[in-house]
């Protein structure tokens, strides 16, 4: 067997709300799965637009049958944004290390240039992975800065209560509050805090939408009684 191409690396990125909508073929608007006759409900989690798992049906997006259609994504628009549990430590660092008023990193311009040169040197000598690990030193250095070097706003202490509660001073921050804060952070400051901004923005860690995988990725099973059984997820 001859290998014609070699994969150099795999990079994982965050989905933006725009990308989730762009790759989806429909919006899920009802939790219903099947009607009284056993056919998928339109606008539901088994809508034929996302692909089909029954031999007698065709996908309403590409027209393919079970073995022909790979499936298509949908999305659910949440009534209120929610915090992605996986990214809570990242969100905590961004809240502590940036100004709540102007969004800039709590570091003087001269220090920013010094750290950027240091990170470039580490990346050149030890690789990109080492560079992102080293940004934890920046977080430790600036997480307790009291006054923003740019707008001179006095910073309030941020407290994290598990699993996803953040308190600033005496005020509990909602996911909407946090998302607005994270949107203010410039791209170049994201990199200093360990996030490659070309691979994802910090506000994308607060989810206003949920991507729904194709039906082919989560097929139901038919019991001996003839009834369908769905995974609770």
């Amino acid at each position: 067997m001859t290998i014609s191409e070699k994969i150099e690396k795999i990079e994982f990125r965050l989905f933006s709300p725009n990308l989730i909508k762009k790759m989806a073929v429909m919006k899920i608007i009802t939790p219903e799965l099947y009607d009284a006759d056993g056919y998928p409900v339109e606008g539901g989690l088994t809508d034929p637009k996302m692909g089909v798992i029954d031999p007698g049906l065709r996908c309403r997006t590409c027209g393919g049958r079970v073995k022909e259609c790979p499936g298509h994504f949908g999305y659910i628009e949440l009534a209120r944004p929610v915090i992605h549990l996986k990214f809570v430590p990242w969100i905590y660092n961004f809240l502590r290390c940036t100004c709540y008023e102007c969004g800039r990193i709590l570091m003087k311009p001269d220090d920013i240039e010094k750290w950027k040169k240091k990170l470039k040197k580490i990346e050149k000598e030890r690789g990109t992975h080492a560079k992102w690990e080293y940004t934890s030193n920046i977080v430790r250095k600036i997480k307790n800065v009291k006054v923003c070097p740019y707008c001179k706003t006095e910073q309030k202490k941020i407290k994290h209560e598990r699993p996803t509660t953040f308190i600033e001073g005496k005020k509990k921050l909602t996911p909407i509050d946090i998302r607005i804060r994270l949107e203010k952070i410039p791209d170049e400051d994201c990199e200093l805090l360990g996030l490659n901004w070309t691979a994802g923005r910090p506000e994308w860690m607060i989810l206003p939408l949920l991507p729904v995988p194709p039906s082919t990725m989560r097929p139901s099973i038919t019991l001996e009684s003839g009834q369908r059984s769905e995974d609770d997820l």
Side-chain angles (χ1 to χ4, degrees):
M1 181 178 177
T2 303
I3 299 177
S4 59
E5 295 183 8
K6 182 180 178 181
I7 297 174
E8 183 179 340
K9 65 178 181 178
I10 297 176
E11 184 174 279
F12 295 92
R13 298 189 172 206
L14 296 174
F15 277 161
S16 70
N18 288 336
L19 181 58
I20 291 174
K21 281 189 175 182
K22 186 177 180 180
M23 73 178 187
V25 296
M26 64 169 294
K27 176 181 177 180
I28 307 297
I29 58 175
T30 175
E32 300 298 327
L33 300 176
Y34 301 96
D35 61 21
D37 296 323
Y39 288 99
V41 173
E42 291 190 13
L45 292 164
T46 56
D47 191 303
K49 291 189 184 73
M50 292 192 291
V52 291
I53 56 175
D54 294 317
L57 301 178
R58 283 185 177 272
C59 172
R60 291 187 182 175
T61 296
C62 66
R65 294 186 183 277
V66 176
K67 295 183 179 180
E68 301 167 345
C69 171
H72 312 276
F73 270 80
Y75 74 92
I76 296 173
E77 188 167 351
L78 303 177
R80 293 286 185 272
V82 296
I83 294 173
H84 194 306
L85 192 61
K86 177 70 174 179
F87 298 115
V88 166
W90 288 78
I91 295 170
Y92 189 29
N93 284 339
F94 275 106
L95 291 176
R96 290 188 296 174
C97 298
T98 59
C99 175
Y100 73 86
E101 187 65 35
C102 68
R104 290 303 311 269
I105 189 170
L106 299 174
M107 183 186 295
K108 296 178 181 178
D110 292 343
D111 291 335
I112 288 178
E113 292 305 314
K114 290 177 184 177
W115 280 102
K116 283 184 177 180
K117 290 178 181 177
K118 189 176 291 187
L119 290 174
K120 284 183 180 179
K121 183 179 179 182
I122 291 172
E123 183 177 20
K124 185 177 180 180
E125 294 176 350
R126 296 161 50 195
T128 304
H129 184 69
K131 166 188 171 182
W132 298 130
E133 286 184 342
Y134 196 77
T135 55
S136 60
N137 294 324
I138 297 177
V139 173
R140 284 195 292 269
K141 185 176 179 65
I142 66 174
K143 65 182 181 180
N144 294 316
V145 172
K146 304 294 185 184
V147 179
C148 174
Y150 298 91
C151 66
K152 308 304 179 184
T153 301
E154 187 174 344
Q155 304 301 302
K156 299 176 182 178
K157 186 175 180 61
I158 300 286
K159 183 181 178 183
H160 171 225
E161 293 182 357
R162 295 183 178 181
T164 59
T165 299
F166 293 95
I167 300 172
E168 184 177 48
K170 295 182 179 180
K171 178 187 176 183
K172 180 179 177 180
L173 299 176
T174 67
I176 295 177
D177 294 331
I178 297 171
R179 184 174 175 84
I180 292 173
R181 287 271 297 271
L182 299 181
E183 286 175 345
K184 297 179 183 179
I185 303 174
D187 292 339
E188 58 271 20
D189 289 354
C190 291
E191 192 163 357
L192 287 167
L193 294 173
L195 180 65
N196 181 0
W197 61 269
T198 62
R201 286 279 311 168
E203 64 268 21
W204 298 351
M205 299 175 187
I206 313 294
L207 308 177
L209 306 172
L210 282 180
V212 178
S215 303
T216 50
M217 294 177 62
R218 45 183 179 83
S220 59
I221 60 173
T222 303
L223 303 177
E224 293 180 359
S225 62
Q227 291 183 325
R228 291 182 181 271
S229 178
E230 307 289 339
D231 190 295
D232 290 339
L233 290 176

